[in-house]
């Protein structure tokens, strides 16, 4: 017996994750790569996360990532 599974035309969901630095940084980057126009909420308040947000919201080609290792890699 064979089954054919078709994906939905549109997927709309909400995912609640803890406000950790690691998850926050990855969510910001995934959100940008998916070209999603919705903002990510409940982000970590650490400097690394703020540096990534500042870089994505900047119109400059030069960023000061300070000591943010994740931001440096991206």
């Amino acid at each position: 017996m064979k089954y054919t599974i078709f994906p939905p035309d549109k997927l709309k969901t909400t995912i609640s994750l803890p406000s950790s630095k690691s998850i926050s940084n990855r969510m910001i980057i995934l959100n940008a790569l998916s070209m999603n126009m919705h903002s990510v909420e409940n982000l970590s308040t650490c400097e690394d996360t703020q540096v990534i947000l500042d870089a994505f919201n900047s119109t400059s080609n030069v960023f000061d990532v300070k000591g943010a290792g994740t931001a440096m890699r991206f």
Side-chain angles (χ1 to χ4, degrees):
M1 183 177 288
K2 290 185 177 181
Y3 293 98
T4 303
I5 300 172
F6 298 99
D9 292 331
K10 190 173 189 178
L11 180 62
K12 182 177 181 179
T13 188
T14 301
I15 301 171
S16 297
L17 299 171
S19 177
S20 78
K21 176 178 78 170
S22 178
I23 292 173
S24 293
N25 294 346
R26 285 165 177 76
M27 286 306 304
I28 294 167
I29 292 164
L30 287 171
N31 194 52
L33 289 172
S34 70
M35 293 190 257
N36 185 3
M37 300 307 292
H38 302 288
S39 63
V40 180
E41 298 176 356
N42 192 33
L43 295 171
S44 170
T45 57
C46 71
E47 182 182 54
D48 289 30
T49 300
Q50 190 58 52
V51 164
I52 292 174
L53 284 171
D54 291 346
F56 276 120
N57 292 321
S58 175
T59 57
S60 175
N61 291 331
V62 179
F63 309 112
D64 179 9
V65 295
K66 303 175 186 172
T70 303
M72 177 67 74
R73 288 187 289 276
F74 284 96

